[in-house]
Amino acid sequence: MFLISIAVISCRKESETNIKTSPGIVANFEGTDLFANNDLSQKTDHLNYAAKIEVISFDSIKGVSKILYKNQELYVSGSDLELLSKKENYNSYFTKDCYCLMGLKEARTLNFPTKYDTVHYFVKDNKIRFIKEVSYYKPSYETYKNHDIEMTQEDYNSGGPNFYSYVTIDRNNFLIGTFFTEQNKSYLECYNKKTTYEVAKNSSKLSEYYETEEFNYAMNLFNTDLLFAKIDNDNFVKPFDNFDYKKQAILIDQGELNLEKNVKILLYSLNNFEPVSFNDHAILFYYLREFKIVKKEGKKRYFVKIYIEEDETSDIAGEYYIDLKEIAAFASIGD
């Protein structure tokens, strides 16, 4: 009995980890309830999604975390929280509706054929959590002149620099927001509440800089899918149901001005995945996002369904598949 007691006590000590205090964040969209006891039976308060807290310890067997809240030691379900390292906490941006988790480990850099389409992605606990990409770039001044576009050097320089955006993904694989800097101010778009915040290291305030309609949710979702397909990760992100992304048009225009060569975009039949006769470097489509993953000769092809509206300048309309890997081979899709 004595030996058994020692074993039980030993296991108990291993299950409960004291970490003094560590920053954490509520990672459940429904928020989390606070309890006065560790069996979570006496509710005292509630915290909303993205609220910052200080974690004192967590019990891996019970799945309960002890936190410090308003100078009280309270308890929450550990599954509702995400612990942050000091580096993550220092580098990240937080609002009351979402957060942009930075300071993560860079997994890999993907170089697309142009220098403007380099993509960096970052992981935590073996999950992609953060993607940095070029959302907009300016071709060189010489490229504009070679395409007979009337522009002076002064006009070219006034157009602003290349534009980077940072897509953030939560631990449950939801695409939760986009972070960007423009005109020396930083903004965080929160997709769950359709809000935009002007953010600084120690503060954030609601901003009307961007309206909800301008979130380009379909485009950000599509770009994220391109990256996942390119690295053979078929655990694609989850979209929010408060955006009808299937009604947001996306333009792929990969002509010579963008890539210094014309790229033929292939469309595939829904019946047999055979190429459909089509010869252009641009399509305007709606992203239906119905996946068909086909494995052939040890390699995966990621087909996804799109819809092309009838247009007076084009003789194609209807539903097709495109191959995400083929699209990702020449560029990500900007505004």
Side-chain angles (χ1 to χ4, degrees), residues 320-332:
Y320 299 93
Y321 282 121
I322 54 175
D323 185 333
L324 288 177
K325 272 200 168 184
E326 286 181 350
I327 302 296
F330 54 79
S332 63

Side-chain angles (χ1 to χ4, degrees), residues 9 17 44 50 82 107 173 194 208 244 247 263 271 318-319:
I9 292 171
T17 304
T44 64
E82 178 168 15
N173 218 29
K194 294 185 176 181
E208 295 181 357
D244 192 355
K247 291 185 178 180
V263 175
N271 299 323
E319 294 183 355

Side-chain angles (χ1 to χ4, degrees), residues 115-281:
K115 63 182 179 180
Y116 311 106
D117 289 302
T118 299
V119 176
H120 306 260
Y121 68 98
F122 301 77
V123 298
K124 180 179 181 179
D125 299 329
N126 297 317
K127 291 182 179 180
I128 297 177
R129 299 294 305 275
F130 183 66
I131 301 169
K132 174 186 176 183
E133 64 184 5
V134 176
S135 291
Y136 171 77
Y137 77 93
K138 291 195 305 182
S140 68
Y141 177 69
E142 290 73 20
T143 300
Y144 281 118
K145 299 300 289 184
N146 291 337
H147 284 79
D148 296 325
I149 298 175
E150 294 185 6
M151 179 181 293
T152 66
Q153 185 73 54
E154 182 178 337
D155 289 337
Y156 176 82
N157 291 332
S158 67
N162 296 337
F163 184 69
Y164 291 87
S165 65
Y166 304 83
V167 176
T168 186
I169 302 165
D170 83 345
R171 68 172 186 176
N172 296 314
N173 218 29
F174 278 93
L175 183 64
I176 62 173
T178 303
F179 173 80
F180 61 93
T181 300
E182 193 171 274
Q183 298 175 352
N184 297 320
K185 292 183 178 180
S186 296
Y187 299 91
L188 179 56
E189 299 173 330
C190 297
Y191 296 147
N192 61 320
K193 297 292 186 179
K194 294 185 176 181
T195 49
T196 303
Y197 289 84
E198 182 182 331
V199 295
K201 281 298 178 184
N202 298 316
S203 64
S204 64
K205 62 180 180 179
L206 196 62
S207 171
E208 295 181 357
Y209 182 75
Y210 271 124
E211 298 295 331
T212 300
E213 291 76 15
E214 299 182 31
F215 274 7
N216 292 319
Y217 190 77
M219 186 185 69
N220 292 331
L221 185 61
F222 183 57
N223 275 334
T224 305
D225 288 343
L226 290 179
L227 173 68
F228 275 61
K230 190 171 180 70
I231 62 175
D232 284 317
N233 185 336
D234 52 22
N235 185 27
F236 291 101
V237 296
K238 302 172 187 175
F240 280 113
D241 58 11
N242 61 349
F243 282 93
D244 192 355
Y245 63 86
K246 296 179 182 180
K247 291 185 178 180
Q248 293 182 331
I250 300 175
L251 173 67
I252 303 179
D253 186 357
Q254 301 301 340
E256 190 176 353
L257 179 62
N258 291 331
L259 298 181
E260 299 178 358
K261 63 179 179 179
N262 287 321
V263 175
K264 181 180 179 182
I265 299 172
L266 296 179
L267 302 176
Y268 293 91
S269 166
L270 298 183
N271 299 323
N272 52 19
F273 300 105
E274 291 295 320
V276 175
S277 179
F278 170 72
N279 186 20
D280 204 346
H281 56 73

